[in-house]
Amino acid sequence: MDRKVVRSETTTSTVVTVGSVRFGWDPFPVIAGPCAIESPEQLGAAARMVAERGASMLRGGAYKAGSSPYGFRGLGPAALEMLALAGREVGLPTTTQVIEPGEVERVAGQIDMIEIGSANMQNFELLREAGRAGLPVLLRRGPSATIDEWLWAAEYLLAEGNDQVVLVERGIRTFGDRGGDTLDIGAIPAVKEQSHLPVLVDPSHASGGGVRVSPLALAAQGVGADGLIVEVHPQPERALSDGPPQLDGEAFSALMDALGVNKMRKEVDLVDREIVRLMADRQRLALAIGRVKATRGMPVRAPSREAELLDIIREEAVLQGIDPEHAVAVFDLILDESREAQRRERGELR
Ligand code: MN
């Protein structure tokens, strides 16, 4: 049976909304926070640290599915409350991993986005529950999963009627000996060819050390990832899980600065697209007026109306703090094109 909904041929890119954050639309949102929630103080410090430095969402582990049964397993329900509170305090939406299907409902009642960890990518019961929870879902790629298996796992969520799914590439099984998995940077463009879902990169778990997080994050931005999920801890050397790859405040600041110029360029791209969209809207309205004028036998050009319009433009430009003559020059071009379009419709031009 074919995948029905995760493929991209029939669908435009999906925008996943969590509070005011829009994955697949905003310029490179960053989810940040500690690997594990250890105490209200630790989480509060991490939350303020990431919020002040421009993170879009707060993460933190309440339930840990560590590879060793003897490692820190998280504080469970108590940590969920801490996360919800810390998120409210700094004004960021929250996400945390769920590892058992029976916990989905409890988690969904307190946080804003469910995360499925890499060890659970093919926990199909958990996927079904998460798909039904009515919340957006982050789906991490399993360390040994092919892209195909990853998309099939996403299909489980979408099959429950939940299209608010964000994929996360976090590193795959490797023969490398750097102390972590190998970040599959090539998977980002590959997955984007095949699916309409946004894709984030986790540069922390494959880094094998904090100093390598930033280069991987920049690579993610370079290959077109839709954002990051990164681990930040107020004191990484004292962390109860995943110590060294977690960034401290200073390193996180440096990372956000490094990403910033590109992020601003993306914001400019968005504004430019918006300008073109508004130009198209204006063109449609002008043509509609042109049709009315044509049926009444009125000429295309209405000099007094144009003068009035340019006065409005000058006034608005002054209000917005930009050079009014520059704004008028832009509008002269727009009005030229508007008249041409109306004449083309009347058959006066070819
Ligand atoms: Mn971790």
Side-chain angles (χ1 to χ4, degrees):
M1 188 125 127
D2 268 358
R3 277 193 294 262
K4 290 193 168 76
V5 279
V6 83
R7 289 275 181 193
S8 57
E9 289 102 51
T10 53
T11 326
T12 52
S13 295
T14 293
V15 174
V16 175
T17 305
V18 189
S20 61
V21 187
R22 293 166 304 173
F23 295 98
W25 180 261
D26 292 348
F28 217 67
V30 174
I31 306 174
C35 180
I37 296 165
E38 300 166 9
S39 69
E41 294 72 29
Q42 171 251 13
L43 182 63
R48 286 187 294 278
M49 196 176 263
V50 304
E52 280 164 13
R53 291 162 173 84
S56 299
M57 273 182 74
L58 178 64
R59 56 146 292 149
Y63 305 89
K64 302 301 295 176
S67 38
S68 158
Y70 310 117
F72 180 56
R73 308 306 302 271
L75 300 175
L80 286 182
E81 279 173 32
M82 293 177 209
L83 182 58
L85 182 68
R88 273 199 302 278
E89 275 178 3
V90 297
L92 294 184
T94 52
T95 183
T96 200
Q97 268 186 36
V98 190
I99 59 179
E100 282 179 45
E103 291 289 330
V104 168
E105 214 181 306
R106 185 207 299 268
V107 170
Q110 290 188 273
I111 55 103
D112 304 300
M113 186 179 210
I114 292 171
E115 184 177 346
I116 305 288
S118 49
N120 276 309
M121 189 202 83
Q122 286 184 316
N123 183 339
F124 297 116
E125 255 334 287
L126 181 62
L127 292 173
R128 280 206 185 88
E129 281 297 321
R132 290 183 200 127
L135 279 192
V137 180
L138 275 176
L139 178 63
R140 288 176 173 269
R141 180 184 183 183
S144 302
T146 63
I147 288 175
D148 205 47
E149 289 164 337
W150 187 17
L151 292 179
W152 269 116
E155 186 79 19
Y156 267 81
L157 296 164
L158 274 67
E160 298 297 332
N162 185 356
D163 78 335
Q164 293 289 285
V165 175
V166 176
L167 302 169
V168 181
E169 162 60 38
R170 44 76 70 204
I172 53 171
R173 178 69 65 218
T174 182
F175 55 80
D177 53 4
R178 293 187 308 268
D181 295 321
T182 290
L183 187 67
D184 186 4
I185 205 76
I188 311 305
V191 116
K192 285 188 149 291
E193 277 166 26
Q194 294 180 49
S195 171
H196 50 87
L197 299 175
V199 190
L200 303 188
V201 163
D202 167 355
S204 301
H205 290 94
S207 67
V211 293
R212 300 183 195 144
V213 171
S214 187
L216 293 180
L218 290 169
Q221 199 179 41
V223 294
D226 294 291
L228 290 185
I229 176 162
V230 59
E231 290 192 346
V232 178
H233 193 289
Q235 292 170 291
E237 66 289 350
R238 298 182 62 181
L240 297 181
S241 63
D242 282 355
Q246 301 197 65
L247 303 180
D248 61 15
E250 198 183 325
F252 184 61
S253 283
L255 170 62
M256 293 303 275
D257 285 348
L259 296 169
V261 173
N262 291 328
K263 186 172 164 176
M264 281 186 272
R265 283 193 185 130
K266 285 198 165 193
E267 277 170 18
V268 169
D269 290 351
L270 283 183
V271 170
D272 288 349
R273 278 169 186 267
E274 192 66 30
I275 291 172
V276 175
R277 250 177 45 197
L278 291 171
M279 283 167 68
D281 284 350
R282 192 190 189 286
Q283 179 91 294
R284 277 187 285 273
L285 285 169
L287 285 175
I289 293 170
R291 271 170 229 130
V292 173
K293 288 197 293 192
T295 57
R296 294 181 186 171
M298 291 159 71
V300 165
R301 188 143 202 186
S304 65
R305 167 67 191 145
E306 283 176 18
E308 183 188 48
L309 192 147
L310 291 177
D311 281 344
I312 293 172
I313 296 303
R314 267 190 206 93
E315 198 181 333
E316 184 66 31
V318 171
L319 269 177
Q320 298 295 336
I322 65 170
D323 178 3
E325 290 321 306
H326 170 65
V328 164
V330 170
F331 269 82
D332 276 337
L333 290 173
I334 290 174
L335 290 175
D336 268 351
E337 173 54 22
S338 177
R339 286 189 295 265
E340 296 259 311
Q342 289 179 51
R343 292 200 177 104
R344 275 197 296 273
E345 272 216 337
R346 290 184 182 203
E348 291 170 17
L349 289 174
R350 277 189 305 137

